[in-house]
Amino acid sequence: MEALRASPIHSLHSIPTKVAKTQSKGPFFLNSRPIPSWSFSSAHQRNASKSKLFTAMPSSVSTEPADPPQGELETQTQNEKFDWYSQWYPIMPVCDLDKRKPHGKKVMGIDLVVWWDRNESAWKVFDDTCPHRLAPLSEGRIDQWGRLQCVYHGWCFNGSGDCKFIPQAPPSGPPVHTFKKACVAAYPNTVQNDIVWFWPNTDPKYKDILKEKRPPYIPELDDPSFTKLMGNRDIPYGYDVLIDNLMDPAHVVYAHYGIMQVPKPKNKADREGGRPLELSLQKLDINGFISRQEVGLSVFIPPCVYHSYLSRPQDEDNGAASSAGTKKEPPAGKRFGLVFICIPVSPGNSRLIWAFPRNFGIWIDKIVPRWMFHVGQNLILDSDLYLLHVEERKIMDIGPANWQKACFTPTKSDAQVIGFRKWLIEYSNGQVDWRGKFNGALPPTPPREQLMDRYWSHVVNCRSCSAAYKGLNVLEVVLKLVSITIIGIVAATKQSMTSVAVRSTAVSVAVLCYAASRWLAHFIYKNFHFHDYSHAFR
């Protein structure tokens, strides 16, 4: 049972209940000792001198409430600006990509097509535009020779983006398919931690960028002694609000009340049991920051990665990560990680990839279907989704650069959020650099059912949930057919059926099958389409 309680089925934020109870009574998002630096490899750093961010250092920031909105965090540089287009960006977990078809995704406002090139046995990332008439290649298919085919006019492309076939070009004519304008822009990409990443620049000088700079690497996601459950969901609010929320442990007991297992303090000031939290930032610079909490440590690696780990108390301050990506062996013990990868998609839209690596209770993931874990995690996302969607519009009204002036954050529980906003303002003028792709306006707010829709934001993008959805729908139809068939048989044979007991049993089975089909239809809608959340009645 300990492993079951530790399973991430309960929450995107949850820490194992059994483990948490043996440690501090703090909120479960923080129920861990300071996380040893071996839990993250800093191989992604620009150079060795900047890797100092990931070593233990004296605190250079304060979250005292004397003048909270102004100058709380001392940054290391004042003139550097974060280059959003010189970073690796995750697209999707490999487990949710189908090699049989191309997938259309948007990252940083760029329309991409991700597809499996079986000739090179590698994933490829192209601009989602056919050079012929600009049709989306993501609506195409993989042809019998393993090429990406545009289904508008049949043009075919190999894994390098070169056009290999134009059906409309006469065989005896000039080889127009070899012209540069017939090629598709191909982005540098790689698979790391079982996630497809891409570099958002097709300039040939970045062809070998992987030799100079790799995506952020999380060793536990590749460690066979750890289990990990990945998931993804498209979110109807922006990247900055998504990270804000994940960095805020204080909201958990309130916004997710009733759907998460939370350690209760001995003396509760209210029903939920919220309390003061001790958070502080050790350092903030262009490479992000470390947050030291009462009983843990979290790391923000811009632009996308935020993670923290549980470990045993005696693990504190053991091991070290190097700028070369090597690490000392961690001490033995139970460890549970929270890994959140937050992807800017477009203004008002983001994508979250989550994983919960742990080295105990591994058997649970082998017997419990992945989609069942996602049901609980989607409920967590839904429970504060509307709050954050509205909050983003209020931030946009005041201007992202004015966040610290408009928001009153007098307690240490907001230290991580303040740190992220300080980083965003200091190094990126308070917002993502979209390079003029958008006019700055947020999309209109749709009806609540559409805003919180799970099918298009998650189910169609998750292979396990998509398969479960199809299977459960088939089961619902089968139950209805069984019910109707039994009633038909009883009606047709009522003269010859001499046993009242047999007729009664048959009718009962028919009723049960129909009732089961109706319950299943409700279950499917509630867990794969829309599940509203009313805080007033929790």
Side-chain angles (χ1 to χ4, degrees), residues 54-330:
F54 300 98
T55 61
M57 301 185 66
S59 176
S60 62
V61 298
S62 169
T63 54
E64 294 298 330
D67 188 14
Q70 301 292 334
E72 290 183 291
L73 305 173
E74 295 181 8
T75 53
Q76 299 299 309
T77 57
Q78 298 299 320
N79 299 318
E80 285 185 283
K81 289 299 178 183
F82 186 76
D83 187 349
W84 291 85
Y85 294 86
S86 292
Q87 315 294 331
W88 286 97
Y89 286 89
I91 303 176
M92 283 287 284
V94 170
C95 62
D96 288 324
L97 293 173
D98 189 338
K99 293 182 178 180
R100 300 171 300 173
K101 67 176 186 177
H103 302 264
K105 297 295 172 185
K106 186 188 290 286
V107 178
M108 288 293 293
I110 303 170
D111 290 315
L112 307 170
V113 56
V114 184
W115 64 286
W116 176 255
D117 180 5
R118 68 170 180 259
N119 295 309
E120 297 186 27
S121 296
W123 289 102
K124 301 294 182 178
V125 180
F126 287 0
D127 184 44
D128 193 14
T129 304
C130 180
H132 176 215
R133 297 270 293 279
L134 312 185
L137 292 171
S138 57
E139 292 297 317
R141 68 182 189 93
I142 312 299
D143 73 4
Q144 61 267 44
W145 292 283
R147 303 173 301 193
L148 178 62
Q149 182 183 62
C150 176
V151 293
Y152 192 24
H153 292 91
W155 289 32
C156 296
F157 307 89
N158 68 7
S160 299
D162 301 326
C163 184
K164 306 305 291 184
F165 179 56
I166 297 178
Q168 295 77 26
S172 58
V176 292
H177 69 276
T178 62
F179 290 13
K180 185 176 180 180
K181 289 194 68 174
C183 298
V184 178
Y187 292 93
N189 68 281
T190 188
V191 173
Q192 185 162 283
N193 290 140
D194 291 327
I195 297 171
V196 176
W197 301 71
F198 90 110
W199 184 268
N201 197 317
T202 59
D203 192 307
K205 70 180 181 180
Y206 294 111
K207 181 180 180 181
D208 297 318
I209 188 63
L210 196 61
K211 297 178 181 178
E212 302 175 20
K213 181 177 179 179
R214 295 190 64 86
Y217 179 66
I218 303 174
E220 286 73 17
L221 293 182
D222 285 340
D223 190 332
S225 67
F226 280 74
T227 184
K228 60 181 183 291
L229 281 172
M230 281 194 183
N232 75 87
R233 182 163 172 178
D234 291 337
I235 308 292
Y237 49 81
Y239 151 89
D240 54 334
V241 176
L242 176 60
I243 292 188
D244 274 358
N245 189 51
L246 295 171
M247 289 183 175
D248 173 23
H251 86 281
V252 172
V253 297
Y254 294 96
H256 307 308
Y257 179 79
I259 55 176
M260 299 170 65
Q261 294 186 9
V262 185
K264 303 295 183 183
K266 292 182 179 178
N267 301 311
K268 298 203 311 182
D270 56 15
R271 179 189 67 166
E272 293 81 4
R275 67 178 187 84
L277 304 177
E278 293 289 331
L279 282 76
S280 63
L281 303 192
Q282 291 190 247
K283 181 184 176 183
L284 185 150
D285 66 14
I286 197 169
N287 294 313
F289 59 77
I290 288 177
S291 169
R292 184 167 293 276
Q293 305 157 3
E294 293 172 323
V295 286
L297 197 71
S298 296
V299 181
F300 168 54
I301 313 297
C304 298
V305 178
Y306 173 70
H307 75 103
S308 59
Y309 278 85
L310 253 177
S311 61
R312 297 191 313 177
Q314 57 265 40
D315 291 349
E316 181 174 348
D317 295 330
N318 284 306
S322 74
S323 60
T326 60
K327 58 185 178 66
K328 296 181 180 179
E329 284 300 314

